[in-house]
């Protein structure tokens, strides 16, 4: 998942605890459904499970909230350090999630 490495970073989790909690809940739901699908790979059985559609709709709403929170977070970082406006969201997230390892940040300097 695109957001997995972001929320694996302790620094980001510390600064975005609500979004991190929502993301972990969605991630756990995804993993549980995929495990059940792996255990019983019959497509009609898997897709017709009670409440599955509602779970995915809720997961999608939560991911939208997480994405908005992450965008707001990046915007505050850009406001603090204007050079960040020249970086894409992916590049900025890479820098912010790797602050403890200067060699990972070096390509952006």
């Amino acid at each position: 998942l695109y957001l997995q490495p972001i929320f694996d970073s302790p620094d980001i989790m510390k600064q975005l605890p609500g979004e991190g909690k929502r993301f972990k809940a969605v991630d756990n739901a995804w993993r549980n459904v995929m495990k059940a699908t792996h255990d019983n790979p019959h497509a009609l059985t898997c897709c017709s499970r009670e409440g599955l559609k509602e779970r995915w709709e809720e997961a999608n709403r939560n991911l939208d909230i997480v994405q908005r929170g992450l965008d707001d977070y990046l915007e505050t970082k850009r406001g603090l350090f204007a050079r960040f406006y020249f970086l894409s969201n992916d590049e900025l997230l890479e820098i912010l999630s790797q602050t403890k390892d200067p060699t990972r940040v070096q390509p952006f300097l």
Side-chain angles (χ1 to χ4, degrees), residues 28-55:
N28 286 336
W30 169 261
R31 291 176 189 275
N32 290 338
V33 170
M34 291 300 108
K35 182 184 179 323
T37 303
H38 180 267
D39 294 343
N40 183 8
H42 188 258
L44 288 176
T45 304
C46 293
C47 293
S48 61
R49 283 190 209 129
E50 187 71 32
L52 185 62
K53 179 180 179 257
E54 291 78 16
R55 284 178 75 182

Side-chain angles (χ1 to χ4, degrees), residues 3-16:
L3 296 173
Q4 184 70 44
I6 296 164
F7 287 105
D8 281 344
S9 167
D11 289 340
I12 302 257
M13 283 296 288
K14 197 182 316 176
Q15 295 180 30
L16 297 170

Side-chain angles (χ1 to χ4, degrees), residues 79-92:
L80 295 172
F81 191 63
R83 288 180 129 186
F84 286 160
Y85 282 106
F86 297 102
L87 298 172
S88 70
N89 284 352
D90 291 339
E91 292 169 331
L92 183 52

Side-chain angles (χ1 to χ4, degrees), residues 44-104:
L44 288 176
T45 304
C46 293
C47 293
S48 61
R49 283 190 209 129
E50 187 71 32
L52 185 62
K53 179 180 179 257
E54 291 78 16
R55 284 178 75 182
W56 289 138
E57 288 171 346
E58 179 67 23
N60 196 36
R61 282 191 294 275
N62 282 331
L63 285 176
D64 285 342
I65 293 169
V66 168
Q67 188 65 51
R68 279 194 302 272
L70 196 53
D71 289 343
D72 292 344
Y73 169 73
L74 293 178
E75 206 52 41
T76 61
K77 292 299 181 183
R78 285 183 171 110
L80 295 172
F81 191 63
R83 288 180 129 186
F84 286 160
Y85 282 106
F86 297 102
L87 298 172
S88 70
N89 284 352
D90 291 339
E91 292 169 331
L92 183 52
L93 284 168
E94 177 79 18
I95 290 171
L96 296 173
S97 64
Q98 301 295 330
T99 56
K100 302 263 190 276
D101 185 4
T103 59
R104 299 286 304 262

